[in-house]
Structures are given as C-alpha cells and as structure tokens.
Amino acid sequence: MTLRIALRPAPLLLRFILPRPSLLLHQLPTRRAGHGPGQRVIHCMGHQAGATQPPTPPKTIHFCSQCAGPVDLRFVSSEDRWRHICSACSHVHYINPRNVVGCIVEHEDQVLLCRRGIQPQLGKWTVPAGYMELQESTAEGAARETLEEAGAAVEIVAPYVHFDIPGIGQAYLLFRARLAPPFTFAAQAPESLETRLFPLEDIPWNELAFSAVSLALRYYVEDRRSQSWRMHHGVIRKQAGAGPNDPGSFKLTDYMGLPLGAERIQTQA
C-alpha cells in the first residue's frame, strides 16, 4: 500500500511499511496475584466515591462559544471531574489533551535534529514535531511538521513511540522516517535556528529540549544497535513545576515495548 500526499510548498511521500500481524510484548510487568501471565493492569487515576473532591483547576474559559454567556467552573459528580459549563445555555466546554506528532528522521546512520528558534526551550535540540491539525492523520501531521521545521520531505517507515504526559495534557506520537528525494533539509524560520544530521554517538543529550524526545532517542539508539525495532509506549510522570527536560524530574511508567517484526513487508496498491 503506497500513499502519496502532496503538501505545498514541496511534494511529500509517505510509504507505510506494515509489520507482521502477530506481535508480542517485549517487556512484561511483574506478574500480580490473580492475573494471568502477560496481562497488564492499568489502574484508573480518577476520583473514587467517598474520596476527597479533587482540587479546583484553573479556570481557562470565560465565555461560551455557543451563546457568549458567562462560563462557570463546576464539579460534575457523575463524571468525577471539573467542567467549564455555560451558566446561560449549559453547554459543556471540554478541554482535552493535545497530540504532538513528529518524526525521528534517519539518513546514512544519522538522525536529523532541529535547534528550536521559539519558546519553550529556545536554542535546545529536538526532533521535528508539533501539534496535530484537524483533518490530518498522525502520520500526515508528523510529515508536515518535518517539512515545516526542517524543510525535509520524508518517507514514513513505522510508528515508534507513544508517550502520554498527563501532567501537561499531551500525547507524543513519533514515527521513524527516512529522508526522501531530493534528500535535502534546511532550518525553517521562525521554528528552527539550525537543522543538522547527528551520528548516534554525537547526539547532544544534555541539550535536548523535551523529556519525551530524550526518551525516544535513547530507545532509538538502543534499538538501532540491537537491530530489533520496537513500538514503545509509556506514561511520563513529571514532578510539579518541573521544566520540559529537567534531569531527574520525570519517570516513565506503564512501559510496553512491542517488536515490529519484518518491517519491509508491504503491498503495492
């Protein structure tokens, strides 16, 4: 299956290389009593009956998008959550997590990184990534962000990481990708100050912008050296008030690594 997508100002090619249908968990949690082998138990973090009501979050919506009436912050006991609700028409304004999509771009045993030209983390290095837009898939968004920040057309190879960051309401979805013809790249202002290919041993670990990118690249180096590609998933728990990539301020929990098998299997439509 080959999917061609044209983006302005440059053409873009996405080729999805499908993994084998049978996938096995790479790392399994310690077996708990009462649960079979290989079963992962995820505990809900929501409010429980009889527990103390969760603290009031900051009010971020003040006027209703439906009727322009004033919006109140109310605790909805049936949902165990605070909601922004219009006092005039009762419309509920939901605030949901945002998807950050991007690519780990490889070329001749190197990875493509961008030095950020905007806040947060001005001057730090990262993979090309940004917020997903409406009416695009995650892979399309990842390729678009790579074009917009690094000036590079890419071939999507496989999904690579999905990291949830509940503390800041984000989900990181990064793909492995390769530079596509004409194999060029250039920093795109104002998002990027510089774009460069780094050998794996020269990745600037102490100058990386975000914890999710730091973890993703460490798994990438590990997988590349073992020649065993996996799809990585986990939850990044950040300390309150911590910066985007402060050492020792975050940890990865609920980790799963899924081998992707023979990634060259593909069909031609």
Side-chain angles (χ1 to χ4, degrees):
M1 176 181 66
T2 299
L3 176 62
R4 295 179 182 272
I5 301 174
L7 289 183
R8 293 181 175 86
L12 177 66
L13 169 67
L14 277 74
R15 183 163 69 231
F16 292 93
I17 303 171
L18 305 177
R20 289 174 179 168
S22 59
L23 299 176
L24 299 174
L25 286 178
H26 174 69
Q27 287 190 352
L28 298 175
T30 302
R31 183 174 176 179
R32 295 183 176 89
H35 300 290
Q39 292 181 336
R40 179 171 292 277
V41 180
I42 303 295
H43 297 283
C44 177
M45 301 295 290
H47 183 68
Q48 298 180 358
T52 304
Q53 182 173 296
T56 307
K59 183 178 178 181
T60 57
I61 300 174
H62 300 279
F63 297 98
C64 180
S65 61
Q66 304 297 308
C67 72
V71 170
D72 295 328
L73 194 58
R74 305 178 194 170
F75 183 74
V76 181
S77 58
S78 61
E79 298 182 7
D80 296 324
R81 295 185 184 276
W82 290 91
R83 299 292 189 195
H84 289 78
I85 302 175
C86 178
S87 61
C89 71
S90 299
H91 178 76
V92 180
H93 296 264
Y94 293 97
I95 301 176
N96 302 112
R98 294 183 289 182
N99 290 330
V100 177
V101 292
C103 291
I104 299 177
V105 183
E106 55 194 36
H107 183 68
E108 298 179 346
D109 298 324
Q110 302 174 93
V111 293
L112 185 68
L113 299 181
C114 301
R115 195 159 66 90
R116 288 180 58 81
I118 57 177
Q119 294 289 0
Q121 299 294 76
L122 175 67
K124 299 287 187 178
W125 291 93
T126 185
V127 299
Y131 290 121
M132 182 179 175
E133 299 284 1
L134 294 175
Q135 300 181 344
E136 68 179 3
S137 70
T138 51
E140 290 168 343
R144 173 187 53 76
E145 286 289 342
T146 304
L147 185 65
E148 290 179 355
E149 296 188 359
V154 296
E155 171 192 332
I156 297 290
V157 175
Y160 193 61
V161 298
H162 173 181
F163 291 146
D164 294 320
I165 316 179
I168 58 174
Q170 290 183 359
Y172 261 78
L173 300 139
L174 301 180
F175 292 81
R176 282 178 52 225
R178 300 190 186 101
L179 274 183
F183 306 108
T184 58
F185 56 89
Q188 303 296 298
E191 286 85 359
S192 301
L193 298 173
E194 182 181 358
T195 305
R196 189 195 308 177
L197 285 168
F198 285 88
L200 300 189
E201 61 272 17
D202 292 336
I203 291 174
W205 298 108
N206 294 330
E207 294 298 319
L208 294 178
F210 305 110
S211 56
V213 171
S214 178
L215 287 169
L217 287 174
R218 291 184 186 280
Y219 280 123
Y220 178 85
V221 171
E222 180 182 316
D223 289 350
R224 183 69 179 271
R225 288 174 175 166
S226 68
Q227 287 299 300
S228 178
W229 296 110
R230 297 166 290 171
M231 168 66 189
H232 302 274
H233 173 79
V235 180
I236 297 176
R237 304 287 182 185
K238 286 182 169 288
Q239 295 177 1
N245 196 24
D246 290 346
S249 67
F250 61 90
K251 63 180 179 178
L252 185 67
T253 66
D254 299 319
Y255 172 77
M256 291 177 277
L258 219 58
L260 292 180
E263 63 181 37
R264 293 306 305 179
I265 296 175
Q266 57 182 316
T267 59
Q268 190 77 23

